[in-house]
Amino acid sequence: MPRQPNTRRQGRNEVNINEQQQAVQQSSSSLTKVHGNIINVSGDFGRVARQGGMVVDKSLLCKALFDTHAPIRVCLPRRFGKTFNLSVIEEFFNVVTCEDAKPLEGTIDEAAGRTNRMKLFNGSLLHEEHLKFFEKHFCKTPVIRINMKNVAATSLGGFYEMLAGSIYDTADIWLSNAKEVEWDPSAKRAWDKLEAAIDEVDSAHKQPGGWETNGEIALYLYKVLERAVKRAYRTSCIILLDEYDIPLVKIRNKPWEESARSVYIGLLNYMFKDNPNVRTGVLVGVHEIELNDLGSGPNNIETLALTVPKHTEALNANAMGIDSYDEFGELFAFTQPEVQALVEKAREKNPRLEMYPIERIMDKIIEWYDGYCFGVSVGKFNPFAITSFLMKLCTSSPDKAARCYWDETGNQGLVNRIALLNRASMLILATEFLIGYGKEASFGAVKQAGIWQQSSPRPPQSRQVMEVSVGQGYAIDDGSVMSIDQLVSLFVYTGYLTIRQGGHVGIPNGEMRRMWERLLKVTCSGPTM
C-alpha cells in the first residue's frame, strides 16, 4: 500500500528550486563545525567526544526535535549516523545520572553532573546559536532509550521474550541509577514497582514455555518504567527507539506474524500516540514499514526517509521555506560542507595528509561516497564511509583509501538471497542501473508505464525517466519473490539506490556502483533458488 502523506504537512506551495536551496543555506542546519582531534568511527557521540574523537557537530538536532509537534521516524540505510544522532539527543536532554556524578550520601550533585556533561557541548553550535534554549533544556528531560536490535525469534513465545528483554535492559539501567539516590516516598514506591516488574520478567525467563501467554509483559514493563520516571522527575520524557523495524522484519511470513505484530504495534501505539507522559520521540531504522493496521496504530508519526528530495515537492509557505521536520532531517548524514570541514580538521591534526591537496581528497570522496538525497538538500554522504576513508587515508593515498566500506560492516546475505530469488528482474535492474550510472536519466520502476515487461529478455533500450513509487511496501525476508517496484523500493531504503530530482532512480556513487557489480556477479553465478 502506498504511504499516505502526513496531513500536517499538506498544503505546501511550489517554489523555485534555487529559492529553496537558498532557504536551506540560510537555515541553522547549514552551520558547520567539527570538534575533537582523533578520527573515530564509533557510533556513540558520548564515547567519541569523551575520548577526544572528531565529531561533526549535530547538536542543532536537539532544538529541531523540540520544535516539532509529533514523534519522528527516520528511515536511512545502516551506518548513516542514526544511532550517533540519538546519542547526541540523549546526552543533551537526559537528566543527570550516576554516570555523570557519583552520588554522595544518596544525593547526586546536579551541578557537578551538568559540568561533566557540558564538556561534550562546549563550543557546540546549539550553545552558540541558541543559548536560551540550551540553558532551559540542558539535562532537564528524562530520556528513555530502547534498542530493538536483538528482537528476533523462531517462536511467538521467543518473540515476546526478546521484546520484553529490550525493555528490560533499559529499565534495569534506570533502576540501578535510582537505587543510588534517596527519593521521596512517592517516587520510592514507583521505583519499587519497577523492581517488582523486572522481577516478573526474571521469573518468566525461568519458566519453560511460559512466554507463549506473556504477550503483554513488554507493554506492562514499559508502562511501569515510564510512570516511575515521570513520578521521580516530575516531567514528561523523550523516547528514543533504535532499530524499530527489526521486530517487524524478523516476524515476516511467520505463522504467528499477526499476533506478534499486534503486540508490537500496540507497544508503539502506547509509546507515541497521545501519551501525556511523553514530550516527543524518535524512531530510527532502515525500512519504512506500515505501522497502522485497520486504522489502529501510531498514525501521528512523521516519517523522514531516502525518498524524493524535498526540492521536487511543494514546500510549506513559511518565512524560511522549510519547517522543523526539514531542519531535523537535514541534520542526518553528512553534507558536503561538513565533509570538507572534517577533511580540513583531519589535515590539521595529521600533517601527513597535507601532502595531498584538499581538492584531490574531496574529489575522491565525492566520486566514491556522494549522491544520497535526504531532507531538503541533495548530495548527502554516509558518515561511516567518510570517517573510514579518512582513517585509511592516514596510512595510504586517496586512491587506495577509496574503497567499499559498506560490506565491511554487515552481512549482505539477505540482499544476496533476495537477488537470487528474483534473478530475472535483478539481472535487468542491475544491468540497466550500471549502464545508466552517472547519467541524468537513470532507470526507474517503469513496469506500470508499459515500457517493458518483467519477462523482457534484455534491458530496455529507452531510458525514459519515470517516477518511482517508494514506500508502497515490500516483503522484507529472504523467501520473497518481489515485483520490480518492490525491489527498487527495497534498494532505495537500503542505500543501494537513491532518488534524484524528478524522481529519477540511480546508483548514488562509486562505492555503490561496485556493490551493484558484486550483486550482479552473485545473481549471475549463484545457485537457482
Side-chain angles (χ1 to χ4, degrees):
M1 176 183 296
R3 175 169 60 90
Q4 297 301 315
N6 193 307
T7 55
R8 294 189 313 279
R9 304 190 71 189
Q10 292 178 349
R12 295 174 174 231
N13 296 324
E14 293 287 351
V15 296
N16 182 274
I17 292 176
N18 292 332
E19 292 176 355
Q20 178 171 359
Q21 294 289 12
Q22 183 178 8
V24 174
Q25 293 169 2
Q26 293 171 348
S27 71
S28 59
S29 62
S30 65
L31 301 173
T32 299
K33 206 168 190 179
V34 176
H35 308 279
N37 303 307
I38 305 167
I39 302 171
N40 195 303
V41 296
S42 172
D44 184 270
F45 164 68
R47 184 183 303 118
V48 174
R50 289 183 177 95
Q51 295 175 352
M54 290 185 191
V55 294
V56 172
D57 194 322
K58 296 293 185 179
S59 60
L60 293 174
L61 269 169
C62 302
K63 186 174 187 304
L65 175 63
F66 234 67
D67 287 344
T68 62
H69 301 289
I72 302 176
R73 173 172 57 168
V74 179
C75 300
L76 287 173
R78 57 189 174 82
R79 307 313 298 260
F80 245 74
K82 302 184 295 294
T83 298
F84 182 91
N85 282 4
L86 290 188
S87 64
V88 172
I89 295 169
E90 181 181 27
E91 294 284 3
F92 176 77
F93 283 112
N94 200 23
V95 293
V96 173
T97 68
C98 299
E99 293 184 1
D100 301 301
K102 187 175 181 179
L104 182 63
E105 298 181 353
T107 303
I108 294 180
D109 188 335
E110 295 278 344
R114 284 171 58 89
T115 298
N116 289 333
R117 190 89 64 81
M118 184 63 199
K119 295 175 184 178
L120 304 179
F121 293 93
N122 280 327
S124 66
L125 291 171
L126 184 63
H127 189 258
E128 293 180 350
E129 299 294 325
H130 302 285
L131 182 58
K132 290 184 178 179
F133 175 88
F134 192 102
E135 293 175 340
K136 181 178 180 181
H137 296 288
F138 183 55
C139 295
K140 298 290 181 64
T141 306
V143 176
I144 298 177
R145 184 175 176 183
I146 301 169
N147 196 317
M148 294 292 178
K149 66 180 179 180
N150 294 322
V151 182
T154 57
S155 67
L156 181 60
F159 176 83
Y160 291 156
E161 183 176 12
M162 299 301 292
L163 184 61
S166 66
I167 311 295
Y168 180 105
D169 292 341
T170 299
D172 192 52
I173 292 172
W174 277 97
L175 183 62
S176 298
N177 180 76
K179 286 184 174 181
E180 300 292 329
V181 180
E182 292 291 337
W183 299 95
D184 63 63
S186 177
K188 178 68 165 55
R189 287 193 296 271
W191 291 121
D192 288 345
K193 189 172 182 179
L194 177 61
E195 185 170 19
I198 287 176
D199 288 342
E200 287 186 39
V201 177
D202 285 331
S203 297
H205 283 309
K206 299 174 183 178
Q207 298 176 7
W211 280 100
E212 295 293 338
T213 58
N214 275 319
E216 298 302 319
I217 197 168
L219 176 58
Y220 170 72
L221 180 59
Y222 173 77
K223 286 181 177 179
V224 177
L225 168 62
E226 181 189 276
R227 291 166 185 171
V229 171
K230 176 70 177 290
R231 187 68 58 86
Y233 295 99
R234 304 182 190 283
T235 185
S236 55
C237 67
I238 293 173
I239 306 176
L240 304 179
L241 193 60
D242 204 352
E243 304 201 56
Y244 90 95
D245 53 336
I246 292 296
L248 295 169
V249 170
K250 295 298 184 181
I251 64 175
R252 288 287 304 186
N253 293 336
K254 299 292 193 298
W256 38 269
E257 176 182 359
E258 185 176 347
S259 297
R261 178 181 174 85
S262 177
V263 167
Y264 186 57
I265 295 298
L267 175 64
L268 298 185
N269 194 52
Y270 178 83
M271 286 178 171
F272 296 105
K273 188 174 181 180
D274 302 326
N275 188 340
N277 296 328
V278 174
R279 168 62 178 82
T280 189
V282 183
L283 307 81
V284 301
V286 173
H287 305 285
E288 183 180 351
I289 301 175
E290 180 62 55
L291 298 179
N292 301 301
D293 290 324
L294 300 178
S296 175
N299 55 8
N300 60 323
I301 293 176
E302 178 71 28
T303 297
L304 301 171
L306 276 177
T307 53
V308 180
K310 289 295 191 311
H311 68 238
T312 67
E313 298 180 357
L315 288 177
N316 214 3
N318 57 28
M320 292 298 295
I322 58 178
D323 60 21
S324 54
Y325 298 98
D326 295 325
E327 285 277 357
F328 191 79
E330 277 300 285
L331 289 159
F332 279 78
F334 284 171
T335 63
Q336 185 167 322
E338 288 174 333
V339 172
Q340 183 161 336
L342 193 60
V343 171
E344 290 171 351
K345 187 79 167 181
R347 294 175 83 243
E348 173 189 331
K349 298 300 179 181
N350 191 332
R352 182 187 179 282
L353 301 187
E354 294 182 357
M355 65 187 293
Y356 305 113
I358 191 169
E359 293 81 7
R360 180 183 172 188
I361 296 174
M362 286 300 299
D363 285 346
K364 187 59 64 174
I365 288 176
I366 290 170
E367 174 192 347
W368 272 77
Y369 308 112
D370 189 11
Y372 289 103
C373 301
F374 183 74
V376 178
S377 61
V378 298
K380 293 293 188 70
F381 298 76
N382 182 321
F384 179 79
I386 300 304
T387 52
S388 297
F389 171 87
L390 291 177
M391 288 190 69
K392 186 68 175 178
L393 186 62
C394 291
T395 58
S396 62
S397 68
D399 290 336
K400 292 183 178 180
R403 52 189 283 188
C404 288
Y405 297 102
W406 185 274
D407 58 347
E408 296 179 2
T409 64
N411 188 347
Q412 307 302 315
L414 173 63
V415 170
N416 290 342
R417 286 191 293 272
I418 288 176
L420 291 173
L421 278 166
N422 299 273
R423 188 190 299 268
S425 298
M426 282 301 304
L427 289 174
I428 293 170
L429 285 175
T431 303
E432 184 64 18
F433 280 130
L434 288 168
I435 291 173
Y437 175 68
K439 300 181 181 180
E440 177 62 24
S442 52
F443 179 63
V446 297
K447 182 180 66 172
Q448 68 274 27
I451 296 177
W452 63 287
Q453 299 297 323
Q454 187 168 336
S455 59
S456 296
R458 58 191 177 86
Q461 297 302 307
S462 169
R463 294 204 183 91
Q464 181 177 348
V465 177
M466 291 291 164
E467 183 172 341
V468 68
S469 299
V470 174
Q472 63 173 324
Y474 46 88
I476 315 162
D477 65 88
D478 56 6
S480 298
V481 175
M482 305 170 73
S483 69
I484 288 288
D485 299 41
Q486 290 172 330
L487 285 169
V488 171
S489 291
L490 173 66
F491 287 116
V492 167
Y493 279 103
T494 52
Y496 283 75
L497 299 173
T498 193
I499 306 181
R500 304 189 181 97
Q501 178 184 346
H504 311 168
V505 182
I507 299 173
N509 51 49
E511 182 182 37
M512 286 299 103
R513 180 175 70 82
R514 285 152 184 84
M515 292 300 294
W516 273 97
E517 289 171 348
R518 296 177 187 179
L519 196 57
L520 180 59
K521 183 177 180 180
V522 167
T523 305
C524 292
S525 61
T528 302
M529 301 187 70

